[in-house]
Amino acid sequence: ISRADASWVDLNNLDSPGACDNTKGISLYNATSNVLVCICRCGYAGDTCSAGCPNNCSGHGECLENGHCSCSATRTGVDCGEFNCPSGLQGKRCSGQGLCKEDATCDCEDNFMGVDCSTTKVLPQEVATPPSFDDFQTSQVPDEPPSQISSAPSPSMTPSRVGFDKSKIMYFWGILDRKVQGVQAKYKKLVSSEGSHTARNEGAN
């Protein structure tokens, strides 16, 4: 980098023979020595800074005769200074949802995936486990019904919610179990009574 003397003036805007290409260098005139010189930007050389490529292609490409860079596979940009990662949503590198790495691959954020990070991950949802039959042991049935039982289903027992009102279900399960036991007892008594009656009739014959 050259340091210009304070007596020099910028001639970029003048139509002067020998002036530099202002995209590649800066034209300066030294009023003391009456000399017009070009101070070239990085990557350019020559009396008018016409030779070379921007930033020498950042060391990751070939400088062509037309002043353009032919970049390596993992680089892009006018000076090969950018990593050539896949573009996705809205033309952004890694869809703007990941880090573009030096090897031109995307390191996606936690919720995204794919070569260009454009796909949203589907996270597993927690599913409530319904109660098993063992949860409704009759030995656990309360002697008294739970308080404030209404004929209308409570929000906790509607199909739109995952979960059960365990105390209410256990109570009604107990009632059903006691009714079944009562029917079984009556049936056994009836069978026993008919058996005795049949035995008496056979003895009489």
Side-chain angles (χ1 to χ4, degrees), residues 22-115:
N22 60 11
T23 63
K24 301 177 181 180
I26 300 175
S27 300
L28 294 174
Y29 177 73
N30 188 326
T32 302
S33 59
N34 196 30
V35 175
L36 179 66
V37 297
C38 289
I39 298 180
C40 301
R41 301 182 189 276
C42 183
Y44 297 102
D47 292 339
T48 60
C49 302
S50 59
C53 289
N55 291 330
N56 287 324
C57 301
S58 302
H60 293 283
E62 179 185 359
C63 182
L64 305 179
E65 292 183 0
N66 59 6
H68 295 161
C69 291
S70 176
C71 303
S72 62
T74 59
R75 294 295 184 119
T76 188
V78 293
D79 63 352
C80 305
E82 302 176 32
F83 300 137
N84 192 23
C85 289
S87 297
L89 301 176
Q90 299 178 352
K92 295 181 179 179
R93 302 279 179 197
C94 302
S95 301
Q97 298 170 159
L99 175 66
C100 181
K101 299 191 296 183
E102 189 173 355
D103 61 355
T105 60
C106 294
D107 184 9
C108 302
E109 297 175 1
D110 290 343
N111 294 335
F112 302 97
M113 59 187 294
V115 294

Side-chain angles (χ1 to χ4, degrees), residues 141-154 156-157 165-173 175:
V141 177
D143 294 332
E144 297 296 332
S147 59
Q148 298 180 351
I149 296 180
S150 63
S151 57
S154 65
S156 63
M157 298 182 70
D165 189 328
K166 188 174 179 179
S167 63
K168 294 181 181 180
I169 293 177
M170 289 172 60
Y171 171 73
F172 291 114
W173 186 273
I175 293 177

